[in-house]
Amino acid sequence: MNVTSIKIIYKPLIIYNNLIPERKKFVIPYISTSDLIAKGWQSKTFKPNPYKPEKKIFDTRRGEKVRSKSEAIIADTLYEFGIPYRYEYPVKMANGEIRYPDFMLLNLKTKQEIYFEHLGRMGDAGYRMDAMEKMDLYRASGIYPGKN
């Protein structure tokens, strides 16, 4: 591929990226960009975790509420680096149970969804036991640490 053909391929993308937001609403690009994929993925509506909504007291830069200062730092870091994420997105486990991992991320290159559990209180024995049971349930449902 020579330089001229690269310019031809990317010129429409450059034109689209330079449009003002109001005009972008009227254009559906033929080739989806990472930004559009991320926006579409993140805009999927879902029922939030019903567990103690009053505990969501920490604000993120993206304008959502999370349950801990650590989760706020994680959310802000993901947001700052442009990593698409969903907070406490419902996931159906192999046993039919619905779980809400702290974060679900989207790898824009592979389109793979990655589950991120913070596990912030591992010093607490009860919390640690619950966390290990949760990890067993994730593995039984095809969600493996270090893989997805």
Side-chain angles (χ1 to χ4, degrees), residues 110-143:
T110 65
K111 310 303 181 271
Q112 179 185 21
E113 293 177 331
I114 301 165
Y115 303 90
F116 184 135
E117 281 286 1
H118 172 50
L119 305 176
R121 298 185 355 231
M122 293 301 278
D124 176 314
Y127 180 91
R128 187 170 52 248
M129 289 300 294
D130 290 344
M132 293 301 100
E133 288 176 12
K134 184 189 306 185
M135 298 310 290
D136 287 342
L137 180 59
Y138 283 161
R139 279 190 290 275
S141 301
I143 300 170

PDB file of all heavy atoms in Angstrom, residues 110-143:
ATOM      1  N   THR A 110      -9.255  -6.444  20.439  1.00  0.00           N
ATOM      2  CA  THR A 110      -9.778  -7.804  20.284  1.00  0.00           C
ATOM      3  C   THR A 110     -11.290  -7.881  20.454  1.00  0.00           C
ATOM      4  O   THR A 110     -11.880  -8.920  20.189  1.00  0.00           O
ATOM      5  CB  THR A 110      -9.132  -8.745  21.324  1.00  0.00           C
ATOM      6  OG1 THR A 110      -9.541  -8.330  22.645  1.00  0.00           O
ATOM      7  CG2 THR A 110      -7.619  -8.741  21.204  1.00  0.00           C
ATOM      8  N   LYS A 111     -11.903  -6.816  20.932  1.00  0.00           N
ATOM      9  CA  LYS A 111     -13.344  -6.751  21.260  1.00  0.00           C
ATOM     10  C   LYS A 111     -13.699  -7.720  22.387  1.00  0.00           C
ATOM     11  O   LYS A 111     -14.849  -8.070  22.583  1.00  0.00           O
ATOM     12  CB  LYS A 111     -14.239  -7.025  20.040  1.00  0.00           C
ATOM     13  CG  LYS A 111     -13.900  -6.210  18.801  1.00  0.00           C
ATOM     14  CD  LYS A 111     -13.942  -4.730  19.033  1.00  0.00           C
ATOM     15  CE  LYS A 111     -13.641  -3.935  17.797  1.00  0.00           C
ATOM     16  NZ  LYS A 111     -12.265  -3.622  17.563  1.00  0.00           N
ATOM     17  N   GLN A 112     -12.709  -8.148  23.159  1.00  0.00           N
ATOM     18  CA  GLN A 112     -12.931  -9.064  24.273  1.00  0.00           C
ATOM     19  C   GLN A 112     -13.351  -8.276  25.512  1.00  0.00           C
ATOM     20  O   GLN A 112     -12.788  -7.222  25.813  1.00  0.00           O
ATOM     21  CB  GLN A 112     -11.659  -9.851  24.583  1.00  0.00           C
ATOM     22  CG  GLN A 112     -11.816 -10.804  25.749  1.00  0.00           C
ATOM     23  CD  GLN A 112     -10.511 -11.501  26.119  1.00  0.00           C
ATOM     24  OE1 GLN A 112      -9.426 -11.039  25.795  1.00  0.00           O
ATOM     25  NE2 GLN A 112     -10.629 -12.604  26.830  1.00  0.00           N
ATOM     26  N   GLU A 113     -14.346  -8.803  26.217  1.00  0.00           N
ATOM     27  CA  GLU A 113     -14.758  -8.215  27.487  1.00  0.00           C
ATOM     28  C   GLU A 113     -13.914  -8.827  28.597  1.00  0.00           C
ATOM     29  O   GLU A 113     -13.686 -10.034  28.631  1.00  0.00           O
ATOM     30  CB  GLU A 113     -16.244  -8.463  27.729  1.00  0.00           C
ATOM     31  CG  GLU A 113     -17.099  -7.700  26.735  1.00  0.00           C
ATOM     32  CD  GLU A 113     -18.586  -7.957  26.884  1.00  0.00           C
ATOM     33  OE1 GLU A 113     -18.971  -9.061  27.339  1.00  0.00           O
ATOM     34  OE2 GLU A 113     -19.362  -7.057  26.546  1.00  0.00           O
ATOM     35  N   ILE A 114     -13.455  -7.972  29.492  1.00  0.00           N
ATOM     36  CA  ILE A 114     -12.581  -8.385  30.584  1.00  0.00           C
ATOM     37  C   ILE A 114     -13.245  -7.988  31.893  1.00  0.00           C
ATOM     38  O   ILE A 114     -13.686  -6.848  32.046  1.00  0.00           O
ATOM     39  CB  ILE A 114     -11.198  -7.720  30.450  1.00  0.00           C
ATOM     40  CG1 ILE A 114     -10.569  -8.114  29.115  1.00  0.00           C
ATOM     41  CG2 ILE A 114     -10.308  -8.073  31.624  1.00  0.00           C
ATOM     42  CD1 ILE A 114      -9.394  -7.268  28.706  1.00  0.00           C
ATOM     43  N   TYR A 115     -13.303  -8.917  32.824  1.00  0.00           N
ATOM     44  CA  TYR A 115     -13.929  -8.682  34.119  1.00  0.00           C
ATOM     45  C   TYR A 115     -12.856  -8.289  35.125  1.00  0.00           C
ATOM     46  O   TYR A 115     -11.796  -8.900  35.187  1.00  0.00           O
ATOM     47  CB  TYR A 115     -14.671  -9.942  34.568  1.00  0.00           C
ATOM     48  CG  TYR A 115     -15.687 -10.377  33.550  1.00  0.00           C
ATOM     49  CD1 TYR A 115     -15.352 -11.253  32.526  1.00  0.00           C
ATOM     50  CD2 TYR A 115     -16.979  -9.867  33.576  1.00  0.00           C
ATOM     51  CE1 TYR A 115     -16.278 -11.629  31.566  1.00  0.00           C
ATOM     52  CE2 TYR A 115     -17.913 -10.232  32.617  1.00  0.00           C
ATOM     53  CZ  TYR A 115     -17.550 -11.115  31.621  1.00  0.00           C
ATOM     54  OH  TYR A 115     -18.470 -11.477  30.664  1.00  0.00           O
ATOM     55  N   PHE A 116     -13.155  -7.263  35.909  1.00  0.00           N
ATOM     56  CA  PHE A 116     -12.183  -6.716  36.847  1.00  0.00           C
ATOM     57  C   PHE A 116     -12.844  -6.645  38.225  1.00  0.00           C
ATOM     58  O   PHE A 116     -13.756  -5.862  38.439  1.00  0.00           O
ATOM     59  CB  PHE A 116     -11.786  -5.315  36.364  1.00  0.00           C
ATOM     60  CG  PHE A 116     -10.705  -4.628  37.168  1.00  0.00           C
ATOM     61  CD1 PHE A 116      -9.672  -3.992  36.512  1.00  0.00           C
ATOM     62  CD2 PHE A 116     -10.734  -4.553  38.546  1.00  0.00           C
ATOM     63  CE1 PHE A 116      -8.685  -3.322  37.213  1.00  0.00           C
ATOM     64  CE2 PHE A 116      -9.757  -3.897  39.260  1.00  0.00           C
ATOM     65  CZ  PHE A 116      -8.729  -3.282  38.589  1.00  0.00           C
ATOM     66  N   GLU A 117     -12.372  -7.476  39.137  1.00  0.00           N
ATOM     67  CA  GLU A 117     -12.816  -7.430  40.532  1.00  0.00           C
ATOM     68  C   GLU A 117     -11.708  -6.800  41.346  1.00  0.00           C
ATOM     69  O   GLU A 117     -10.552  -7.209  41.261  1.00  0.00           O
ATOM     70  CB  GLU A 117     -13.113  -8.841  41.059  1.00  0.00           C
ATOM     71  CG  GLU A 117     -14.439  -9.399  40.637  1.00  0.00           C
ATOM     72  CD  GLU A 117     -15.636  -8.781  41.354  1.00  0.00           C
ATOM     73  OE1 GLU A 117     -15.464  -7.877  42.208  1.00  0.00           O
ATOM     74  OE2 GLU A 117     -16.758  -9.185  41.029  1.00  0.00           O
ATOM     75  N   HIS A 118     -12.061  -5.821  42.155  1.00  0.00           N
ATOM     76  CA  HIS A 118     -11.064  -5.103  42.945  1.00  0.00           C
ATOM     77  C   HIS A 118     -10.599  -5.909  44.159  1.00  0.00           C
ATOM     78  O   HIS A 118      -9.410  -5.956  44.456  1.00  0.00           O
ATOM     79  CB  HIS A 118     -11.628  -3.752  43.371  1.00  0.00           C
ATOM     80  CG  HIS A 118     -10.768  -3.023  44.344  1.00  0.00           C
ATOM     81  ND1 HIS A 118      -9.424  -2.828  44.134  1.00  0.00           N
ATOM     82  CD2 HIS A 118     -11.053  -2.450  45.535  1.00  0.00           C
ATOM     83  CE1 HIS A 118      -8.921  -2.153  45.164  1.00  0.00           C
ATOM     84  NE2 HIS A 118      -9.880  -1.929  46.021  1.00  0.00           N
ATOM     85  N   LEU A 119     -11.485  -6.578  44.875  1.00  0.00           N
ATOM     86  CA  LEU A 119     -11.148  -7.376  46.066  1.00  0.00           C
ATOM     87  C   LEU A 119     -10.302  -6.566  47.046  1.00  0.00           C
ATOM     88  O   LEU A 119      -9.191  -6.939  47.410  1.00  0.00           O
ATOM     89  CB  LEU A 119     -10.441  -8.678  45.659  1.00  0.00           C
ATOM     90  CG  LEU A 119     -11.178  -9.562  44.651  1.00  0.00           C
ATOM     91  CD1 LEU A 119     -10.330 -10.766  44.269  1.00  0.00           C
ATOM     92  CD2 LEU A 119     -12.531  -9.991  45.181  1.00  0.00           C
ATOM     93  N   GLY A 120     -10.863  -5.480  47.496  1.00  0.00           N
ATOM     94  CA  GLY A 120     -10.125  -4.510  48.293  1.00  0.00           C
ATOM     95  C   GLY A 120      -9.963  -4.794  49.770  1.00  0.00           C
ATOM     96  O   GLY A 120      -9.230  -4.077  50.437  1.00  0.00           O
ATOM     97  N   ARG A 121     -10.620  -5.809  50.308  1.00  0.00           N
ATOM     98  CA  ARG A 121     -10.522  -6.042  51.757  1.00  0.00           C
ATOM     99  C   ARG A 121     -10.056  -7.463  52.060  1.00  0.00           C
ATOM    100  O   ARG A 121     -10.613  -8.150  52.916  1.00  0.00           O
ATOM    101  CB  ARG A 121     -11.886  -5.785  52.404  1.00  0.00           C
ATOM    102  CG  ARG A 121     -12.354  -4.360  52.238  1.00  0.00           C
ATOM    103  CD  ARG A 121     -13.642  -4.008  52.953  1.00  0.00           C
ATOM    104  NE  ARG A 121     -14.314  -5.094  53.612  1.00  0.00           N
ATOM    105  CZ  ARG A 121     -15.603  -5.399  53.447  1.00  0.00           C
ATOM    106  NH1 ARG A 121     -16.338  -4.715  52.620  1.00  0.00           N
ATOM    107  NH2 ARG A 121     -16.151  -6.397  54.107  1.00  0.00           N
ATOM    108  N   MET A 122      -9.031  -7.910  51.392  1.00  0.00           N
ATOM    109  CA  MET A 122      -8.559  -9.285  51.553  1.00  0.00           C
ATOM    110  C   MET A 122      -7.964  -9.550  52.940  1.00  0.00           C
ATOM    111  O   MET A 122      -7.741 -10.689  53.317  1.00  0.00           O
ATOM    112  CB  MET A 122      -7.560  -9.642  50.450  1.00  0.00           C
ATOM    113  CG  MET A 122      -8.191  -9.695  49.059  1.00  0.00           C
ATOM    114  SD  MET A 122      -9.527 -10.868  48.915  1.00  0.00           S
ATOM    115  CE  MET A 122      -8.634 -12.372  48.642  1.00  0.00           C
ATOM    116  N   GLY A 123      -7.727  -8.522  53.732  1.00  0.00           N
ATOM    117  CA  GLY A 123      -7.258  -8.687  55.109  1.00  0.00           C
ATOM    118  C   GLY A 123      -8.363  -9.177  56.038  1.00  0.00           C
ATOM    119  O   GLY A 123      -8.089  -9.693  57.120  1.00  0.00           O
ATOM    120  N   ASP A 124      -9.607  -9.043  55.622  1.00  0.00           N
ATOM    121  CA  ASP A 124     -10.773  -9.481  56.395  1.00  0.00           C
ATOM    122  C   ASP A 124     -11.078 -10.931  56.018  1.00  0.00           C
ATOM    123  O   ASP A 124     -11.372 -11.235  54.858  1.00  0.00           O
ATOM    124  CB  ASP A 124     -11.942  -8.560  56.065  1.00  0.00           C
ATOM    125  CG  ASP A 124     -13.243  -8.944  56.726  1.00  0.00           C
ATOM    126  OD1 ASP A 124     -13.601 -10.144  56.711  1.00  0.00           O
ATOM    127  OD2 ASP A 124     -13.925  -8.039  57.240  1.00  0.00           O
ATOM    128  N   ALA A 125     -11.029 -11.847  57.001  1.00  0.00           N
ATOM    129  CA  ALA A 125     -11.177 -13.283  56.736  1.00  0.00           C
ATOM    130  C   ALA A 125     -12.520 -13.614  56.078  1.00  0.00           C
ATOM    131  O   ALA A 125     -12.572 -14.411  55.133  1.00  0.00           O
ATOM    132  CB  ALA A 125     -11.010 -14.082  58.025  1.00  0.00           C
ATOM    133  N   GLY A 126     -13.605 -13.032  56.546  1.00  0.00           N
ATOM    134  CA  GLY A 126     -14.925 -13.295  55.963  1.00  0.00           C
ATOM    135  C   GLY A 126     -15.004 -12.823  54.522  1.00  0.00           C
ATOM    136  O   GLY A 126     -15.514 -13.532  53.644  1.00  0.00           O
ATOM    137  N   TYR A 127     -14.486 -11.626  54.274  1.00  0.00           N
ATOM    138  CA  TYR A 127     -14.465 -11.067  52.925  1.00  0.00           C
ATOM    139  C   TYR A 127     -13.626 -11.959  52.005  1.00  0.00           C
ATOM    140  O   TYR A 127     -14.002 -12.242  50.873  1.00  0.00           O
ATOM    141  CB  TYR A 127     -13.893  -9.643  52.963  1.00  0.00           C
ATOM    142  CG  TYR A 127     -13.819  -8.966  51.620  1.00  0.00           C
ATOM    143  CD1 TYR A 127     -14.876  -8.184  51.162  1.00  0.00           C
ATOM    144  CD2 TYR A 127     -12.692  -9.096  50.805  1.00  0.00           C
ATOM    145  CE1 TYR A 127     -14.807  -7.554  49.921  1.00  0.00           C
ATOM    146  CE2 TYR A 127     -12.621  -8.476  49.572  1.00  0.00           C
ATOM    147  CZ  TYR A 127     -13.680  -7.701  49.138  1.00  0.00           C
ATOM    148  OH  TYR A 127     -13.608  -7.086  47.915  1.00  0.00           O
ATOM    149  N   ARG A 128     -12.475 -12.396  52.524  1.00  0.00           N
ATOM    150  CA  ARG A 128     -11.568 -13.240  51.747  1.00  0.00           C
ATOM    151  C   ARG A 128     -12.252 -14.550  51.337  1.00  0.00           C
ATOM    152  O   ARG A 128     -12.149 -14.982  50.195  1.00  0.00           O
ATOM    153  CB  ARG A 128     -10.293 -13.509  52.547  1.00  0.00           C
ATOM    154  CG  ARG A 128      -9.221 -14.237  51.792  1.00  0.00           C
ATOM    155  CD  ARG A 128      -7.882 -14.287  52.532  1.00  0.00           C
ATOM    156  NE  ARG A 128      -7.993 -14.787  53.893  1.00  0.00           N
ATOM    157  CZ  ARG A 128      -7.795 -14.049  54.995  1.00  0.00           C
ATOM    158  NH1 ARG A 128      -7.467 -12.770  54.887  1.00  0.00           N
ATOM    159  NH2 ARG A 128      -7.897 -14.581  56.194  1.00  0.00           N
ATOM    160  N   MET A 129     -12.985 -15.183  52.270  1.00  0.00           N
ATOM    161  CA  MET A 129     -13.697 -16.432  51.960  1.00  0.00           C
ATOM    162  C   MET A 129     -14.761 -16.189  50.894  1.00  0.00           C
ATOM    163  O   MET A 129     -14.901 -16.970  49.953  1.00  0.00           O
ATOM    164  CB  MET A 129     -14.329 -17.016  53.235  1.00  0.00           C
ATOM    165  CG  MET A 129     -13.317 -17.585  54.205  1.00  0.00           C
ATOM    166  SD  MET A 129     -12.326 -18.917  53.501  1.00  0.00           S
ATOM    167  CE  MET A 129     -13.566 -20.152  53.256  1.00  0.00           C
ATOM    168  N   ASP A 130     -15.530 -15.093  51.034  1.00  0.00           N
ATOM    169  CA  ASP A 130     -16.543 -14.747  50.028  1.00  0.00           C
ATOM    170  C   ASP A 130     -15.899 -14.501  48.667  1.00  0.00           C
ATOM    171  O   ASP A 130     -16.434 -14.915  47.631  1.00  0.00           O
ATOM    172  CB  ASP A 130     -17.337 -13.506  50.462  1.00  0.00           C
ATOM    173  CG  ASP A 130     -18.253 -13.770  51.645  1.00  0.00           C
ATOM    174  OD1 ASP A 130     -18.518 -14.959  51.960  1.00  0.00           O
ATOM    175  OD2 ASP A 130     -18.711 -12.785  52.258  1.00  0.00           O
ATOM    176  N   ALA A 131     -14.755 -13.829  48.676  1.00  0.00           N
ATOM    177  CA  ALA A 131     -14.056 -13.522  47.422  1.00  0.00           C
ATOM    178  C   ALA A 131     -13.593 -14.800  46.729  1.00  0.00           C
ATOM    179  O   ALA A 131     -13.712 -14.930  45.503  1.00  0.00           O
ATOM    180  CB  ALA A 131     -12.867 -12.595  47.686  1.00  0.00           C
ATOM    181  N   MET A 132     -13.093 -15.754  47.506  1.00  0.00           N
ATOM    182  CA  MET A 132     -12.623 -17.011  46.909  1.00  0.00           C
ATOM    183  C   MET A 132     -13.804 -17.812  46.351  1.00  0.00           C
ATOM    184  O   MET A 132     -13.698 -18.420  45.275  1.00  0.00           O
ATOM    185  CB  MET A 132     -11.846 -17.844  47.935  1.00  0.00           C
ATOM    186  CG  MET A 132     -10.521 -17.208  48.363  1.00  0.00           C
ATOM    187  SD  MET A 132      -9.371 -16.908  47.006  1.00  0.00           S
ATOM    188  CE  MET A 132      -9.587 -15.173  46.687  1.00  0.00           C
ATOM    189  N   GLU A 133     -14.940 -17.796  47.034  1.00  0.00           N
ATOM    190  CA  GLU A 133     -16.143 -18.456  46.514  1.00  0.00           C
ATOM    191  C   GLU A 133     -16.598 -17.783  45.216  1.00  0.00           C
ATOM    192  O   GLU A 133     -17.013 -18.453  44.272  1.00  0.00           O
ATOM    193  CB  GLU A 133     -17.256 -18.439  47.559  1.00  0.00           C
ATOM    194  CG  GLU A 133     -17.019 -19.382  48.720  1.00  0.00           C
ATOM    195  CD  GLU A 133     -18.083 -19.283  49.798  1.00  0.00           C
ATOM    196  OE1 GLU A 133     -19.147 -18.656  49.568  1.00  0.00           O
ATOM    197  OE2 GLU A 133     -17.848 -19.832  50.895  1.00  0.00           O
ATOM    198  N   LYS A 134     -16.511 -16.454  45.193  1.00  0.00           N
ATOM    199  CA  LYS A 134     -16.877 -15.705  43.986  1.00  0.00           C
ATOM    200  C   LYS A 134     -15.966 -16.082  42.825  1.00  0.00           C
ATOM    201  O   LYS A 134     -16.426 -16.308  41.702  1.00  0.00           O
ATOM    202  CB  LYS A 134     -16.777 -14.193  44.262  1.00  0.00           C
ATOM    203  CG  LYS A 134     -17.217 -13.329  43.107  1.00  0.00           C
ATOM    204  CD  LYS A 134     -16.907 -11.844  43.291  1.00  0.00           C
ATOM    205  CE  LYS A 134     -17.431 -11.261  44.548  1.00  0.00           C
ATOM    206  NZ  LYS A 134     -17.204  -9.797  44.631  1.00  0.00           N
ATOM    207  N   MET A 135     -14.666 -16.212  43.099  1.00  0.00           N
ATOM    208  CA  MET A 135     -13.719 -16.582  42.047  1.00  0.00           C
ATOM    209  C   MET A 135     -13.996 -17.993  41.541  1.00  0.00           C
ATOM    210  O   MET A 135     -13.878 -18.266  40.345  1.00  0.00           O
ATOM    211  CB  MET A 135     -12.277 -16.445  42.540  1.00  0.00           C
ATOM    212  CG  MET A 135     -11.880 -15.021  42.932  1.00  0.00           C
ATOM    213  SD  MET A 135     -12.259 -13.762  41.692  1.00  0.00           S
ATOM    214  CE  MET A 135     -11.095 -14.179  40.441  1.00  0.00           C
ATOM    215  N   ASP A 136     -14.374 -18.906  42.435  1.00  0.00           N
ATOM    216  CA  ASP A 136     -14.738 -20.271  42.021  1.00  0.00           C
ATOM    217  C   ASP A 136     -15.957 -20.220  41.091  1.00  0.00           C
ATOM    218  O   ASP A 136     -16.001 -20.927  40.085  1.00  0.00           O
ATOM    219  CB  ASP A 136     -15.044 -21.152  43.236  1.00  0.00           C
ATOM    220  CG  ASP A 136     -13.798 -21.528  44.018  1.00  0.00           C
ATOM    221  OD1 ASP A 136     -12.685 -21.413  43.467  1.00  0.00           O
ATOM    222  OD2 ASP A 136     -13.952 -21.933  45.195  1.00  0.00           O
ATOM    223  N   LEU A 137     -16.946 -19.407  41.436  1.00  0.00           N
ATOM    224  CA  LEU A 137     -18.148 -19.271  40.613  1.00  0.00           C
ATOM    225  C   LEU A 137     -17.790 -18.681  39.245  1.00  0.00           C
ATOM    226  O   LEU A 137     -18.291 -19.140  38.214  1.00  0.00           O
ATOM    227  CB  LEU A 137     -19.190 -18.399  41.320  1.00  0.00           C
ATOM    228  CG  LEU A 137     -20.498 -18.156  40.587  1.00  0.00           C
ATOM    229  CD1 LEU A 137     -21.219 -19.464  40.279  1.00  0.00           C
ATOM    230  CD2 LEU A 137     -21.396 -17.244  41.424  1.00  0.00           C
ATOM    231  N   TYR A 138     -16.913 -17.688  39.224  1.00  0.00           N
ATOM    232  CA  TYR A 138     -16.475 -17.102  37.952  1.00  0.00           C
ATOM    233  C   TYR A 138     -15.802 -18.160  37.078  1.00  0.00           C
ATOM    234  O   TYR A 138     -16.096 -18.279  35.893  1.00  0.00           O
ATOM    235  CB  TYR A 138     -15.510 -15.936  38.186  1.00  0.00           C
ATOM    236  CG  TYR A 138     -16.158 -14.642  38.623  1.00  0.00           C
ATOM    237  CD1 TYR A 138     -15.413 -13.650  39.229  1.00  0.00           C
ATOM    238  CD2 TYR A 138     -17.509 -14.398  38.436  1.00  0.00           C
ATOM    239  CE1 TYR A 138     -15.985 -12.455  39.638  1.00  0.00           C
ATOM    240  CE2 TYR A 138     -18.091 -13.207  38.833  1.00  0.00           C
ATOM    241  CZ  TYR A 138     -17.326 -12.237  39.430  1.00  0.00           C
ATOM    242  OH  TYR A 138     -17.902 -11.048  39.825  1.00  0.00           O
ATOM    243  N   ARG A 139     -14.884 -18.936  37.676  1.00  0.00           N
ATOM    244  CA  ARG A 139     -14.191 -19.983  36.903  1.00  0.00           C
ATOM    245  C   ARG A 139     -15.190 -20.994  36.346  1.00  0.00           C
ATOM    246  O   ARG A 139     -15.073 -21.402  35.187  1.00  0.00           O
ATOM    247  CB  ARG A 139     -13.132 -20.676  37.759  1.00  0.00           C
ATOM    248  CG  ARG A 139     -11.838 -19.893  37.854  1.00  0.00           C
ATOM    249  CD  ARG A 139     -10.725 -20.712  38.503  1.00  0.00           C
ATOM    250  NE  ARG A 139     -10.971 -20.935  39.928  1.00  0.00           N
ATOM    251  CZ  ARG A 139     -10.642 -20.077  40.878  1.00  0.00           C
ATOM    252  NH1 ARG A 139     -10.065 -18.940  40.584  1.00  0.00           N
ATOM    253  NH2 ARG A 139     -10.897 -20.353  42.147  1.00  0.00           N
ATOM    254  N   ALA A 140     -16.170 -21.382  37.143  1.00  0.00           N
ATOM    255  CA  ALA A 140     -17.187 -22.339  36.691  1.00  0.00           C
ATOM    256  C   ALA A 140     -18.027 -21.755  35.550  1.00  0.00           C
ATOM    257  O   ALA A 140     -18.637 -22.490  34.776  1.00  0.00           O
ATOM    258  CB  ALA A 140     -18.088 -22.744  37.854  1.00  0.00           C
ATOM    259  N   SER A 141     -18.010 -20.429  35.430  1.00  0.00           N
ATOM    260  CA  SER A 141     -18.789 -19.738  34.395  1.00  0.00           C
ATOM    261  C   SER A 141     -17.932 -19.303  33.208  1.00  0.00           C
ATOM    262  O   SER A 141     -18.381 -18.540  32.355  1.00  0.00           O
ATOM    263  CB  SER A 141     -19.486 -18.518  35.010  1.00  0.00           C
ATOM    264  OG  SER A 141     -20.341 -18.924  36.072  1.00  0.00           O
ATOM    265  N   GLY A 142     -16.669 -19.766  33.178  1.00  0.00           N
ATOM    266  CA  GLY A 142     -15.802 -19.450  32.044  1.00  0.00           C
ATOM    267  C   GLY A 142     -15.060 -18.130  32.164  1.00  0.00           C
ATOM    268  O   GLY A 142     -14.545 -17.619  31.174  1.00  0.00           O
ATOM    269  N   ILE A 143     -15.010 -17.572  33.357  1.00  0.00           N
ATOM    270  CA  ILE A 143     -14.296 -16.321  33.594  1.00  0.00           C
ATOM    271  C   ILE A 143     -13.058 -16.663  34.428  1.00  0.00           C
ATOM    272  O   ILE A 143     -13.179 -17.074  35.576  1.00  0.00           O
ATOM    273  CB  ILE A 143     -15.191 -15.297  34.328  1.00  0.00           C
ATOM    274  CG1 ILE A 143     -16.432 -14.997  33.500  1.00  0.00           C
ATOM    275  CG2 ILE A 143     -14.407 -14.018  34.624  1.00  0.00           C
ATOM    276  CD1 ILE A 143     -17.501 -14.198  34.225  1.00  0.00           C
TER     277      ILE A 143
END
